[in-house]
Amino acid sequence: MRLISLIMVCVLASCAGIPQLRQDSQQGPFRPRDIYPTTPNVERLIGPEDCRGSTLAAVQAELPSYPGRAYQNGRQGWVVVRFDVNTDGSVARTRIARSVPDGVFDRASRRAVSSWVFRPLEGAQTLENCVVMFEFRAGEVRIR
């Protein structure tokens, strides 16, 4: 009996040293509630004069976080964001061009793009109407 108790103490003591993984608010596997909506042709959304005049080079560009409530409810969708880039590389006038489902992923997308920073632009002209699309699919976010 003493031997069994000693073995149990050793086993439990060794488990205490194992690091525990921290779970975010998005607990459990993603369970889709609906099918992924058909994505638009992003090239068709870009006009001939949109975001022209300089090459963009990202210094900081994090993807949006999958909203917790959307993850828990199994929501999927996409968001097209338009934004301007100032000559210093900061982002201005971030706005949602289209999204499906409407409003579910807008805030996270707008917040992410607003925090982006690009290398200062060559020349003194602001780039207007740059376009990016985020896919919120199966619990993950991708840029398109």
Side-chain angles (χ1 to χ4, degrees):
M1 188 67 167
R2 253 186 198 179
L3 181 60
I4 293 174
S5 296
L6 181 60
I7 292 172
M8 290 301 289
V9 168
C10 290
V11 168
L12 291 175
S14 67
C15 289
I18 298 173
Q20 298 296 313
L21 296 176
R22 186 180 73 81
Q23 289 187 350
D24 294 331
S25 61
Q26 301 172 356
Q27 296 177 356
F30 182 83
R31 299 186 198 292
R33 184 184 107 187
D34 46 18
I35 61 169
Y36 184 77
T38 303
T39 56
N41 182 337
V42 178
E43 289 79 25
R44 286 187 178 173
L45 297 174
I46 301 171
E49 298 300 317
D50 289 345
C51 207
R52 301 281 188 238
S54 184
T55 303
L56 286 177
V59 174
Q60 175 186 328
E62 292 185 26
L63 290 175
S65 299
Y66 211 104
R69 178 168 276 151
Y71 186 93
Q72 292 168 355
N73 292 332
R75 302 303 305 268
Q76 301 183 95
W78 50 264
V79 178
V80 176
V81 181
R82 286 191 175 272
F83 60 98
D84 299 342
V85 179
N86 297 320
T87 56
D88 66 355
S90 63
V91 172
R93 285 190 352 115
T94 305
R95 57 220 176 267
I96 304 302
R98 291 183 61 195
S99 64
V100 174
D102 190 36
V104 175
F105 303 104
D106 293 3
R107 184 176 180 189
S109 299
R110 184 181 293 125
R111 183 179 295 153
V113 173
S114 294
S115 71
W116 287 2
V117 178
F118 296 92
R119 201 170 41 198
L121 302 178
E122 296 176 10
Q125 190 172 352
T126 298
L127 294 181
E128 296 178 342
N129 288 320
C130 299
V131 177
V132 66
M133 181 177 146
F134 298 112
E135 294 180 330
F136 293 82
R137 188 176 198 167
E140 297 179 359
V141 181
R142 295 182 194 110
I143 194 168
R144 185 168 180 203

